[in-house]
Structure formats: C-alpha cells, structure tokens
Amino acid sequence: LLFQPNNASSAFLVGSSYYQNPIVVVVKANPLQADIYEPNNDHQSAYKLDVKFNQDKALLQTTGSNIHLGNDKDYYKIVLPEGYDYKFKAEVYDAYNFPKNQSYTCDVLFSYFTAKTDWSGVMDDKMNDSVLVENGGTVYFYVSPYSEGLTGTYQLNVAIRRISTSSINQIDNESFLTVYPNPAHEVLYIHAENTIESVKIYDRIGKEVMHSKVNDLQTSLHINHFPSGVYFIHIQTDKKTIRKFMKN
C-alpha cells in the first residue's frame, strides 16, 4: 500500500488502481491453538500439575500455556499429600515480566485458593510472600488476561518447599504439650514436658505474625492485637508441634 505524498486524497494499492482515503487495512494474526491443558476453564476442570520433590523442594512450570481466546480462563491444581506441611510461592512470566532470553505475548493476572483460604487477591506478576499449607491439600490457581480480549502466551511457575513430616491430626493427639485457652482472646498459654525452644504463629494464609524465643517449659503469648480468626502455632521442643487455635 503506497500513500500519496502532500496530503493527497487517495492512495495506490500496488498492482491495482487508486482508492479514496481512508483505506482500512486489517492485519489478522493466525489464531492460537488451545494448549495441552485445555479444557480447564473452571476449578472443577482444573488441570492437575504433577509434583516431584527433590530434597523437599519442587518447581512446577507450565509449558506452552496460553490464553487462546479473548474469554479464555485457565485453572490449575496442585495436590499436596497429607502428612507434610508445605510452603508455596507462585509467579507468572508474561508480556511484561519474563527472564532473559525468553519472551511471552500475553499480559496476565493470577490468584489462588486452598482448602483453608478463600480466593486470594489478584496478583500481576508474583506473590510477595510464601503461603503455608498445613497437612497437605489441594491448591488451585486461576490465570486470566489482564484485559478482556487479550490473547497470547504465558508461563505459570510454582515453587514448593516441604517443611514438616507430621500431620496436624497426629500432632493434636500428643499429650506432652498443652495450649490453652482455645478460643483465646488476650493471652495464649503453653505448657510442655520438654523445653520449649521457640514459638511461631502463622495466620490462615501462612504469614508469620509472631516469633518468640522461649527456652522454658512454659510461656504466655499476648495476642490481643491479633485480628479475629484462625491461627496456627508452631512450637519447637525436641520436635516440632503444630496446633490450631481461634482468636476471638
């Protein structure tokens, strides 16, 4: 297409004749084919990503994943076996966030939820903090285009660390340690038969909200400033113990 100079009112199509301006030229790219994870358009049909640990660490990455239609939405799930605790952290590579020597063509957002949390807030590139998953369970991820109608490629990356070998059900049956009251309002008390080395408290999404060195058989923790909700307390004696309590 050759436009005439000097603000001419017509343009010349090579091999043809003159046409009056404006001439609309529509360039269409070849449509994307559905990726190998489809159909995964809701959490019931979420694609299961296999987890393989190497020294208690695993890295999951999608390959060739894309938003192939303007209304495409992708769901994935990760099943973590019971009997362990886990921490995970996710990131997406897309048109604006990608490593050197790689490129992706769609700008995407993502969120997640577990059996103990609601859907998280929407994240653009990556999670700032790791999330704790007690005693295994299923974690879901949802990837969508930044703006409706966008299509293109992206990659979901999930780093997982296995951090404990004791399930909550097994731990709750231990009698050598007492945590009370439950629910608690202002102070939480801990008594143990063995020396308590340290105590950590996490909220329901796995964020550490308290860390206390103890070195005694008992301790008291002031939690009156905590928002109401469910918390998990990690107590380190000669072994690690996890208890769940409610702050009201």
Side-chain angles (χ1 to χ4, degrees):
L1 175 63
L2 301 177
F3 287 97
Q4 300 299 306
N6 301 322
N7 298 317
S9 62
S10 60
F12 183 73
L13 293 174
V14 176
S16 183
S17 57
Y18 285 94
Y19 293 85
Q20 290 299 117
N21 286 329
I23 296 175
V24 177
V25 178
V26 178
V27 179
K28 291 186 176 181
N30 291 328
L32 286 172
Q33 299 297 312
D35 58 37
I36 62 173
Y37 308 104
E38 293 287 348
N40 62 337
N41 298 317
D42 53 49
H43 87 271
Q44 287 86 1
S45 61
Y47 186 92
K48 181 182 177 182
L49 299 173
D50 292 331
V51 183
K52 295 181 180 179
F53 284 97
N54 181 10
Q55 296 182 343
D56 291 329
K57 293 182 180 181
L59 177 61
L60 283 65
Q61 297 177 307
T62 59
T63 302
S65 48
N66 64 42
I67 301 295
H68 71 287
L69 297 171
N71 60 352
D72 189 17
K73 298 176 178 63
D74 292 341
Y75 287 79
Y76 303 90
K77 67 180 179 182
I78 298 170
V79 179
L80 301 172
E82 293 183 357
Y84 294 87
D85 301 332
Y86 305 85
K87 280 191 174 182
F88 72 86
K89 193 173 184 179
E91 178 179 16
V92 289
Y93 294 155
D94 62 7
Y96 294 97
N97 177 54
F98 52 88
K100 187 177 181 180
N101 299 325
Q102 294 185 34
S103 63
Y104 301 88
T105 58
C106 191
D107 189 12
V108 298
L109 303 170
F110 77 98
S111 56
Y112 70 87
F113 86 86
T114 74
K116 297 175 182 175
T117 67
D118 298 323
W119 278 105
S120 69
V122 175
M123 286 161 278
D124 195 351
D125 293 328
K126 59 185 176 181
M127 296 167 56
N128 292 324
D129 300 305
S130 297
V131 171
L132 177 68
V133 179
E134 300 277 359
N135 196 32
T138 302
V139 182
Y140 290 88
F141 290 91
Y142 166 54
V143 181
S144 62
Y146 189 92
S147 301
E148 186 174 352
L150 290 179
T151 61
T153 58
Y154 70 88
Q155 178 175 297
L156 173 65
N157 310 281
V158 185
I160 307 172
R161 184 163 60 94
R162 189 165 51 191
I163 59 175
S164 174
T165 57
S166 298
S167 73
I168 291 176
N169 289 335
Q170 292 170 330
I171 290 169
D172 283 347
N173 291 328
E174 299 285 3
S175 60
F176 69 90
L177 189 146
T178 304
V179 179
Y180 68 95
N182 190 9
H185 180 58
E186 293 187 349
V187 182
L188 191 69
Y189 299 94
I190 305 172
H191 292 258
E193 294 180 1
N194 299 317
T195 299
I196 303 169
E197 298 175 7
S198 64
V199 174
K200 294 181 181 180
I201 297 179
Y202 296 86
D203 64 17
R204 63 181 300 182
I205 66 170
K207 181 180 179 181
E208 183 181 304
V209 294
M210 179 179 286
H211 183 186
S212 176
K213 297 289 186 180
V214 180
N215 197 31
D216 201 344
L217 295 177
Q218 60 187 21
T219 188
S220 58
L221 305 172
H222 292 271
I223 60 169
N224 55 303
H225 60 289
F226 286 8
S228 298
V230 175
Y231 293 85
F232 297 90
I233 183 167
H234 291 221
I235 305 161
Q236 186 67 51
T237 56
D238 56 338
K239 61 180 179 179
K240 180 181 177 182
T241 302
I242 302 171
R243 293 288 177 86
K244 180 169 67 174
F245 73 92
M246 176 72 72
K247 164 65 168 63
N248 59 19

